Amino acid sequence: MLIGGTGTGKTHLAIAIARSCIRAGARGRFYNVVDLVNRLETETRSGRQGRLADQLTRLDFLILDELGYLPFAQSGGQLLFHLVSRLYERTSLLVTTNLAFGEWPSVFSDAKMTTALLDRLTHHCDIIETGNDSWRLKSRTPTKGSPLDADRGSKLEAD
């Protein structure tokens, strides 16, 4: 699990880990969580519930990117919970999130289900905190006159 603020490299690290796993012969998939939930909901509406889960249980790993950035309906949270339960102890999961565990009920709208989900996700888990200092913000090229550069005004004017 990769936990940290926006721009701290969580997705970048997840992709690097996935590439390394694939080079070692593992099979996996990468999903933005909201896109995955939308796909699970579409599958359910079309009467094909469980097919994607069946496919994903045959993989070695699955990356769930950006959990918590956008909320989804309670039904979507339930479908994601069901998927994680199906994958539990079968398929390795890597989750990136900007939320502390205590904030997860706001995404899933059900505290008991969230507790059960976190229990499964953290059972065999390494948690890596990437901090809150955005690499993109630190590495940005300043634009003269930008409000973000107010504290650097004298340096900008000297340039």
Side-chain angles (χ1 to χ4, degrees):
M1 186 152 319
L2 301 172
I3 302 172
T6 300
T8 58
K10 299 177 302 294
T11 300
H12 184 80
L13 286 170
I15 291 168
I17 291 167
R19 289 179 56 121
S20 179
C21 291
I22 291 166
R23 284 188 189 120
R27 294 180 33 205
R29 293 289 307 260
F30 181 102
Y31 283 98
N32 174 286
V33 171
V34 172
D35 293 339
L36 177 61
V37 167
N38 288 338
R39 185 162 174 194
L40 292 169
E41 288 178 329
T42 299
E43 180 182 72
T44 299
R45 282 192 302 274
S46 68
R48 298 172 177 251
Q49 186 171 358
R51 290 192 181 186
L52 180 58
D54 289 340
Q55 292 171 7
L56 298 177
T57 58
R58 292 189 287 266
L59 298 176
D60 299 305
F61 70 91
L62 178 66
I63 295 176
L64 304 176
D65 190 41
E66 295 188 341
L67 188 138
Y69 280 83
L70 295 171
F72 38 79
Q74 185 172 4
S75 61
Q78 292 167 344
L79 290 168
L80 186 59
F81 171 79
H82 178 70
L83 175 64
V84 169
S85 295
R86 290 272 313 269
L87 298 174
Y88 177 61
E89 293 195 330
R90 291 177 152 173
T91 303
S92 294
L93 293 172
L94 191 156
V95 178
T96 71
T97 183
N98 64 334
L99 300 178
F101 293 143
E103 298 172 286
W104 283 38
S106 67
V107 174
F108 290 95
S109 307
D110 182 329
K112 288 183 181 180
M113 183 180 65
T114 304
T115 300
L117 176 69
L118 282 168
D119 183 61
R120 285 165 177 80
L121 287 173
T122 59
H123 181 211
H124 304 289
C125 181
D126 291 314
I127 299 169
I128 299 170
E129 295 184 46
T130 60
N132 287 312
D133 294 331
S134 170
W135 180 87
R136 286 187 288 267
L137 190 56
K138 287 190 291 188
S139 302
R140 67 184 274 288
T141 304
T143 304
K144 196 169 188 175
S146 169
L148 293 174
D149 295 320
D151 62 327
R152 297 174 37 157
S154 60
K155 182 178 180 344
L156 288 175
E157 290 172 17
D159 292 343

